[in-house]
């Protein structure tokens, strides 16, 4: 590549970069960031602080906590257990054939398993009584 063609290539690249800079300068987000930086530099100069001082100060601050929201409890919402896990809701099954009722939080209940083996899982799930509020 000749020196002249290299010069022309660099000149073209310079023009492209100049166009990109002009586009950035007209961007409102860039203008806002630049205004923030200017005001921050002025503030740091007023208090005789350097960038490292500001960074150290910001790193030492605790993370802001989000505003807590109060969840609305519904009968289907499990409550928090002491180990941090959510408790399963208690379900009440009533066998329409015998009238026997069981309350369980687990599908591993001995009687429930026997009912499911005898009558089928879908049938037994239909025996769940509505949750009391």
């Amino acid at each position: 590549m000749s020196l002249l063609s290299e010069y022309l290539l660099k000149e073209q690249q310079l023009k492209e970069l100049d166009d990109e800079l002009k586009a950035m300068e007209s961007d409102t987000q860039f203008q806002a960031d630049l205004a923030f930086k200017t005001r921050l530099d002025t503030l740091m100069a007023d208090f005789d602080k350097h960038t490292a001082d500001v960074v150290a100060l910001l790193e030492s601050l605790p993370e802001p906590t989000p505003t807590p929201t109060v969840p609305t409890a519904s009968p289907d919402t499990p409550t928090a257990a002491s180990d941090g896990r959510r408790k399963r809701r208690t379900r009440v099954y009533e066998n329409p054939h015998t009238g026997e009722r069981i309350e369980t939080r687990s599908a591993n209940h001995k009687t429930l398993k026997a009912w499911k083996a005898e009558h089928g899982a879908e049938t037994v799930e239909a025996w769940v009584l509505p949750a009391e509020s």
Side-chain angles (χ1 to χ4, degrees):
M1 180 180 279
S2 73
L3 196 54
L4 180 59
S5 60
E6 190 174 330
Y7 175 82
L8 292 174
L9 178 65
K10 297 287 184 189
E11 192 174 55
Q12 180 185 1
Q13 290 174 345
L14 180 62
K15 183 182 179 319
E16 289 171 0
L17 284 174
D18 190 42
D19 291 343
E20 287 180 35
L21 280 174
K22 287 179 183 174
M24 286 179 72
E25 289 170 355
S26 66
D27 183 22
T28 56
Q29 181 61 45
F30 172 76
Q31 291 173 351
D33 289 348
L34 188 60
F36 175 77
K37 183 189 177 310
T38 304
R39 289 174 60 188
L40 183 61
D41 288 341
T42 304
L43 189 62
M44 288 187 329
D46 290 348
F47 286 90
D48 194 31
K49 297 292 181 184
H50 300 283
T51 306
D53 300 327
V54 174
V55 169
L57 174 67
L58 292 175
E59 287 178 343
S60 68
L61 295 176
E63 287 291 322
T65 55
T67 306
T69 58
V70 178
T72 56
S74 70
D76 294 339
T77 306
T79 57
S82 59
D83 64 354
R85 296 186 315 174
R86 294 179 0 176
K87 282 187 177 179
R88 293 182 180 156
R89 62 186 169 148
T90 302
R91 299 179 80 184
V92 179
Y93 296 83
E94 184 174 359
N95 185 330
H97 305 292
T98 63
E100 184 180 2
R101 291 174 69 145
I102 58 170
E103 292 184 22
T104 182
R105 289 192 176 149
S106 168
N108 205 19
H109 191 278
K110 183 179 177 181
T111 307
L112 183 60
K113 283 176 128 181
W115 288 353
K116 286 183 178 182
E118 183 179 347
H119 302 284
E122 284 185 21
T123 304
V124 173
E125 285 301 317
W127 296 350
V128 175
L129 299 177
E132 296 175 6
S133 298

